[in-house]
Amino acid sequence: MKKFLLSMIALVASFAASAAVVYFDNSESNWTAVSCYTFSEETMGTWPGEQLTPNADGLYEFTYTSAPAGLKFHDNTGAGDTGDITEFSDGDIFGADGKKVDDDTPTPPTPPTPVGDKDLYIVGNFCGWDLSAAIKMDHEEGTNVWTLTTDAMDGDEWKICDGTWGWSFGAGGEGTQPGVDNEVWYNSSLNFTGVTGSTTITFTLVEGSDVQDSSIPSILSYTGAAPVPTAPETLYILGDMVDNHWDPSNGVALVKDGNVFTGTVEMETAFDNDYGYFSFCTELSASSEDWSVGTRYGAAELNALIAAGETASFVKGTNSWMVLPGKYDVKVDFDTNTVALTANSSGIENVAVEAAQPAVYYNLQGVRVAAPEAGSLYIVKRGDKVSKEIVR
């Protein structure tokens, strides 16, 4: 028995000695919730990863015993993240820009980009983001140009990588369009939008662009038609709905009539700004931790603004629309690939009535609080209005 106890103590001591912690400083970004998403060289993890809680110093801790190939801290809504962080060690503290806090290490000069010393690949939804199934690009000898002609990407999202998750190129905030030269960015967290039919991709690696935080983009162009979505059997709204912020297991179901879906949704803000965000999904997950099921449809450009009375195109992808808080009738038409919002008259309330609404309190992680404590900061909802208040 004594030997067993000594073995258990040694095992616990070994685990404690090998554990490492990376921190996130939320003081500048002030995200409502903070999660850490990790991935390995072979596979992507399950989105959104692990939700973190602050320690006594107000820092959010991510503890690991085996270092992942990369990680990112994010706000659980898709509106804010650090981007992929592939260089980190025990005790590092990161801010919302993905840079180490109080890091006085001088930035090394940008080295020249080597010509033709990399094998580059296309990886995306079409291969389940499995690096071992990625498609190798052709290289034009003596240049920084790689090309690929393929019909494998039927409307899927994708990126360019060197066979690892530590070196990749993704889209900028405005996305990419076929038929033009697009600026693309090193280790961007945004994916390229897929096309249907045969497409020829041309990637030009610009000198100085493939270092972290480079202000120099590389260039991507591709041919092909924009994907034409076909109507699914089911469709749900995911986003900043009242009492249901981006929960993939609890979306708002729309009613199907032919290739058209309709429904009503009540949107509120993402708390730290004036807008709420939403997109669509064909299938709900079993839990709020699983984002891997269903097909996502969203805006052609990231966080495109849409208002009541407007119609906008949608594509296969994860880009969200942003909209002012309110109650809307929604129409999603797969014949025209458009979404339209109409103000729902039942959501228009008199200001005096609004002010008289009872207050509902949430903590800064978005969890409802039945008995708020005096002197503490809460997210407070009265009718359609949301604000941050210190309870007196």
Side-chain angles (χ1 to χ4, degrees), residues 223-241:
T223 63
V228 179
T230 55
E233 290 303 311
T234 56
L235 194 68
Y236 303 86
I237 299 178
L238 298 178
D240 291 305
M241 283 87 74

Side-chain angles (χ1 to χ4, degrees), residues 67-80:
L71 57 87
K72 72 168 66 172
F73 297 100
H74 63 92
D75 67 352
N76 262 346
T77 72

Side-chain angles (χ1 to χ4, degrees), residues 7-324:
S7 297
M8 292 300 294
I9 292 171
L11 180 62
V12 171
S14 174
F15 174 81
S18 60
V21 183
V22 178
Y23 302 90
F24 178 75
D25 184 350
N26 195 33
S27 59
E28 294 294 331
S29 52
N30 198 27
W31 292 342
T32 302
V34 175
S35 290
C36 185
Y37 169 70
T38 60
F39 54 91
S40 70
E41 291 286 355
E42 295 78 22
T43 60
M44 305 295 286
T46 300
W47 185 264
E50 176 184 348
Q51 185 161 338
L52 309 178
T53 55
N55 61 19
D57 296 322
L59 298 175
Y60 289 77
E61 299 182 357
F62 172 68
T63 302
Y64 61 90
T65 54
S66 178
L71 57 87
K72 72 168 66 172
F73 297 100
H74 63 92
D75 67 352
N76 262 346
T77 72
D81 67 59
T82 60
D84 294 346
I85 299 172
T86 57
E87 296 184 5
F88 55 90
S89 57
D90 186 25
D92 284 348
I93 304 173
F94 291 91
D97 58 2
K99 298 179 181 179
K100 293 180 185 178
V101 176
D102 297 329
D103 185 359
D104 296 326
T105 304
T107 302
T110 300
T113 303
V115 175
D117 69 340
K118 283 183 177 292
D119 290 332
L120 298 187
Y121 302 84
I122 302 294
V123 63
N125 294 117
F126 65 90
C127 65
W129 295 97
D130 182 354
L131 290 174
S132 66
I135 305 175
K136 185 178 178 180
M137 303 185 75
D138 298 319
H139 179 241
E140 195 172 321
E141 187 175 354
T143 72
N144 273 6
V145 178
W146 286 258
T147 61
L148 176 69
T149 298
T150 180
D151 58 2
M153 298 181 298
D154 186 17
D156 290 318
E157 296 184 345
W158 51 282
K159 281 184 175 177
I160 291 175
C161 71
D162 68 347
T164 72
W165 292 119
W167 191 103
S168 69
F169 274 83
E174 299 301 317
T176 53
Q177 298 295 328
V180 299
D181 286 343
N182 299 278
E183 292 185 350
V184 295
W185 299 92
Y186 182 64
N187 282 349
S188 168
S189 61
L190 301 178
N191 302 326
F192 302 129
T193 302
V195 294
T196 57
S198 179
T199 182
T200 297
I201 300 164
T202 302
F203 175 69
T204 304
L205 181 58
V206 176
E207 181 176 340
S209 67
D210 60 335
V211 292
Q212 195 64 40
D213 302 319
S214 174
S215 60
I216 304 171
S218 278
I219 302 298
L220 175 83
S221 64
Y222 57 99
T223 63
V228 179
T230 55
E233 290 303 311
T234 56
L235 194 68
Y236 303 86
I237 299 178
L238 298 178
D240 291 305
M241 283 87 74
V242 173
D243 298 329
N244 180 18
H245 283 257
W246 290 100
D247 182 352
S249 66
N250 191 26
V252 174
L254 300 178
V255 177
K256 182 177 183 181
D257 183 8
N259 291 333
V260 176
F261 292 83
T262 56
T264 301
V265 63
E266 188 174 1
M267 303 295 300
E268 60 186 2
T269 69
F271 302 129
D272 287 333
N273 52 60
D274 295 329
Y275 297 92
Y277 300 82
F278 73 95
S279 62
F280 302 104
C281 187
T282 61
E283 186 178 347
L284 297 180
S285 64
S287 75
S288 61
E289 302 299 317
D290 186 6
W291 286 83
S292 62
V293 301
T295 300
R296 293 279 296 278
Y297 295 98
E301 295 182 0
L302 179 66
N303 297 338
L305 179 63
I306 187 172
E310 293 184 349
T311 299
S313 298
F314 67 83
V315 297
K316 188 177 181 181
T318 59
N319 287 343
S320 299
W321 288 278
M322 63 181 189
V323 64
L324 287 170

